[in-house]
């Protein structure tokens, strides 16, 4: 079998950030890499699950919602994929930044009740906000404390 494109990348060289993965059939794929692969630091499952719900909700309700096809986690727990149609990288990046800010303002994880989620017991809002704060700081080149202050979050609470 042929290797899929994401398996052709040397994961030991990948760094955290927002990366263009490619365009196939008009669909732009972005790699939202929160963690350095194979470094032993992964997104905790509850936070990963909550980020998935939060970001999917924020992106599908944002200014570019008609262009969002999919947002979901990487099985390796180092980040997420965003698939869009009809957006340039710059526009998709802006949608991601706005979605993260919207997530940081959420008081609960959308779709986290038993009747809405197949694993409703495994959510972590505080952990998700901590990971999102770190990621936003990385994308902006700011400290986590600066991002937390801008978002009105308690730094000592971790989000």
């Amino acid at each position: 079998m042929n290797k899929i494109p994401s398996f052709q990348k040397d994961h030991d060289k990948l760094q955290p950030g927002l990366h263009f993965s490619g365009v196939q059939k008009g669909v732009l794929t972005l790699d939202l890499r929160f963690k350095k692969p194979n470094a032993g630091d992964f997104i905790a499952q509850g936070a990963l699950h909550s980020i998935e719900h939060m970001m999917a909700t924020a992106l599908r309700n944002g200014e570019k919602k008609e262009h969002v096809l999919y947002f979901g986690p990487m099985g390796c727990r180092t980040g997420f994929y965003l698939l869009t149609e009809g957006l340039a990288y710059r526009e998709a990046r802006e949608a991601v930044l706005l979605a993260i800010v919207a997530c940081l303002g959420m008081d609960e994880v959308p779709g986290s009740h038993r009747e809405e989620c197949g694993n409703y017991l495994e959510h972590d809002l505080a952990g998700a906000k901590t990971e999102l704060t770190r990621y936003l700081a990385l994308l902006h080149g700011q400290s986590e404390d600066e991002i937390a202050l801008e978002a009105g979050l308690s730094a000592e609470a971790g989000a």
Side-chain angles (χ1 to χ4, degrees):
M1 279 197 238
N2 295 327
K3 280 188 178 180
I4 62 171
S6 64
F7 296 159
Q8 294 176 18
K9 294 179 182 177
D10 184 344
H11 282 64
D12 288 329
K13 293 180 180 176
L14 285 175
Q15 296 296 318
L18 180 62
H19 307 289
F20 169 78
S21 286
V23 176
Q24 289 182 306
K25 299 180 183 180
V27 176
L28 170 78
T29 300
L30 291 178
D31 172 335
L32 286 74
R33 191 68 60 163
F34 281 49
K35 306 287 185 175
K36 180 171 176 34
N38 301 317
D41 180 26
F42 307 102
I43 303 170
Q45 188 60 44
L48 184 86
H49 189 192
S50 295
I51 293 168
E52 174 194 13
H53 279 236
M54 296 163 75
M55 285 290 291
T57 298
L59 287 162
R60 289 185 178 126
N61 284 281
E63 293 176 14
K64 304 294 183 185
K65 63 186 174 188
E66 67 276 2
H67 300 284
V68 175
L69 300 176
Y70 173 78
F71 180 84
M74 296 174 183
C76 61
R77 296 184 6 241
T78 61
F80 301 85
Y81 289 115
L82 171 62
L83 280 62
T84 66
E85 183 179 48
L87 290 182
Y89 170 84
R90 178 184 44 75
E91 295 170 305
R93 178 184 167 85
E94 183 62 25
V96 165
L97 295 172
L98 290 172
I100 293 171
V101 170
C103 290
L104 292 175
M106 292 179 181
D107 294 326
E108 66 178 42
V109 177
S112 62
H113 298 287
R114 181 183 182 99
E115 62 277 3
E116 302 167 318
C117 178
N119 191 5
Y120 78 102
L121 294 174
E122 194 166 46
H123 283 284
D124 179 2
L125 178 63
K129 285 186 175 188
T130 295
E131 293 291 353
L132 288 164
T133 299
R134 287 179 184 152
Y135 189 62
L136 189 59
L138 171 78
L139 295 180
H140 280 314
Q142 292 177 286
S143 76
E144 293 172 37
D145 288 340
E146 289 173 309
I147 295 293
L149 283 173
E150 286 179 18
L153 302 172
S154 170
E156 58 275 355

